[in-house]
């Protein structure tokens, strides 16, 4: 089995400040913890029987993870390709499953002091009437490719949102938001739970395949999409209104509709 992992940092155990997500301050520690959590996910996957792993470094510069800390079965995609899949670049239909680590809740929510959706210029995003996180955007791309999403680690709120979208997913909450702060799981415990959770998720998927049953981690892709984006600055809504098919719905808001999810990803690429 081939496994794809998309790795972010704002859902890493204990992280609370933007200064901890970029070079300087305590970034070195949290980039290291991000690496350890991703490595733990890879180790759990290998223990579960995965033979090949592609990890997409999907935070900021996309140059956060230490390649030497990964198991030999893992390959690391660093930097941004410029493709519309963005945080899921490298995923295709040949993969047996997808997973995400270090993820965070969406813009406009209070489950993480670093909550956002794609960038800090977005105040709120709503997809088909539901609050839209980066997990939502990326999990639906996996669904577009008919790839089950079997595992997620990150803050408690995004884990809850993930289970609503994909009831069969295995989640590990490494951090709990509390106002402008957060309570993080002990870093070693986070690694252990991620390792064990990923192994269980892989074995569960393999059991379904052996039984000839569909995975309960396959997400049903909607037939139509309406994505509403509310920006922090009115000029960003004005700019986005020039994208084909976009309707300006307020001083700081636009809406875009499509039947093909790739069209949605193109809108996200250029307007979010």
């Amino acid at each position: 089995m081939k496994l794809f992992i998309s790795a972010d940092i704002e859902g890493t155990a204990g992280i609370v400040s933007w200064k901890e997500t970029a070079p300087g301050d305590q970034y070195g520690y949290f980039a290291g913890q991000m690496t350890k959590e991703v490595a733990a996910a890879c180790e759990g996957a290998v223990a579960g029987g995965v033979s090949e792993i592609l990890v997409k470094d999907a935070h900021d510069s996309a140059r956060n993870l230490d390649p030497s800390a990964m198991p030999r079965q893992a390959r690391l995609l660093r930097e941004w390709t410029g493709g519309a899949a963005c945080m899921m670049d490298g995923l295709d239909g040949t993969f047996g499953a997808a997973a995400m680590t270090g993820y965070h809740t969406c813009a406009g929510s209070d489950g993480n002091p670093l909550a956002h959706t794609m960038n800090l210029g977005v105040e709120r995003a709503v997809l088909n009437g539901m609050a839209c996180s980066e997990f939502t955007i990326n999990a639906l791309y996996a669904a577009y490719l008919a790839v089950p999403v079997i595992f997620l680690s990150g803050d408690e709120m995004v884990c809850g949102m993930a289970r609503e979208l994909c009831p069969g997913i295995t989640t590990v909450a490494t951090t709990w938001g509390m106002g402008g702060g957060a309570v993080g799981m002990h870093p070693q415990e986070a690694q252990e739970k991620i390792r064990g959770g990923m192994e269980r998720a892989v074995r569960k998927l393999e059991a379904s395949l052996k039984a000839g049953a569909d995975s309960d981690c396959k997400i049903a892709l909607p037939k139509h999409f309406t994505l509403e984006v509310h920006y922090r600055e009115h000029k960003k809504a004005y700019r986005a209104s020039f994208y084909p098919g976009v309707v300006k719905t307020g001083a700081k808001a636009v809406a875009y509709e499509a039947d093909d999810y790739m069209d949605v990803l193109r809108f996200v690429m250029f307007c979010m």
Side-chain angles (χ1 to χ4, degrees):
M1 184 190 298
K2 289 170 60 179
L3 173 70
F4 178 90
I5 299 176
S6 174
D8 205 354
I9 200 172
E10 290 92 354
T12 299
I15 199 164
V16 295
S17 169
W18 291 112
K19 292 182 178 179
E20 296 168 345
T21 70
D25 200 67
Q26 287 186 287
Y27 166 76
Y29 167 79
F30 285 102
Q33 180 62 19
M34 175 189 179
T35 294
K36 290 175 183 177
E37 292 183 11
V38 174
C42 291
E43 291 161 4
V46 171
V50 168
S51 58
E52 185 179 340
I53 304 167
L54 177 63
V55 177
K56 175 68 187 91
D57 189 326
H59 169 67
D60 199 341
S61 67
R63 301 190 304 272
N64 308 279
L65 297 171
D66 178 359
S68 69
M70 302 296 141
R72 288 181 177 269
Q73 293 86 348
R75 297 293 180 268
L76 182 58
L77 175 54
R78 304 176 71 237
E79 260 291 1
W80 298 107
T81 69
C86 194
M87 297 174 75
M88 301 294 279
D89 270 330
L91 178 66
D92 60 34
T94 67
F95 284 84
M100 302 169 200
T101 61
Y103 268 55
H104 52 83
T105 192
C106 59
S109 65
D110 60 358
N112 188 321
L114 306 179
H116 66 282
T117 302
M118 302 311 290
N119 63 71
L120 298 183
V122 174
E123 189 169 70
R124 184 164 60 96
V126 179
L127 181 61
N128 287 2
M130 301 291 289
C132 181
S133 67
E134 291 169 13
F135 171 82
T136 309
I137 293 168
N138 296 335
L140 288 176
Y141 179 60
Y144 180 81
L145 298 172
V147 175
V149 183
I150 64 171
F151 179 85
L152 169 74
S153 70
D155 66 56
E156 183 179 40
M157 185 171 285
V158 78
C159 287
M161 293 174 69
R163 291 190 297 271
E164 289 181 12
L165 182 64
C166 181
I169 194 171
T170 299
T171 63
V172 173
T174 58
T175 184
W176 299 261
M178 186 182 296
V183 178
M185 185 182 288
H186 189 282
Q188 292 179 352
E189 183 181 7
Q191 295 164 48
E192 292 166 3
K193 288 190 176 295
I194 288 169
R195 187 180 297 109
M198 181 67 87
E199 181 176 354
R200 290 194 303 275
V202 169
R203 292 191 184 281
K204 177 186 168 187
L205 177 61
E206 288 182 332
S208 294
L209 295 174
K210 287 178 181 178
D214 273 342
S215 168
D216 60 0
C217 294
K218 274 193 173 179
I219 299 167
L221 197 68
K223 294 182 178 179
H224 185 76
F225 302 91
T226 300
L227 179 56
E228 305 166 54
V229 181
H230 299 254
Y231 300 94
R232 296 189 187 278
E233 298 178 3
H234 64 84
K235 65 181 181 181
K236 292 191 175 181
Y238 178 73
R239 182 180 185 275
S241 71
F242 289 93
Y243 187 85
V246 168
V247 176
K248 194 166 180 284
T249 57
K252 297 181 179 180
V254 300
Y256 178 76
E257 294 191 44
D259 293 329
D260 189 333
Y261 192 63
M262 281 305 301
D263 290 334
V264 176
L265 288 183
R266 292 184 186 99
F267 166 78
V268 171
M269 180 182 184
F270 289 103
C271 299
M272 290 179 69

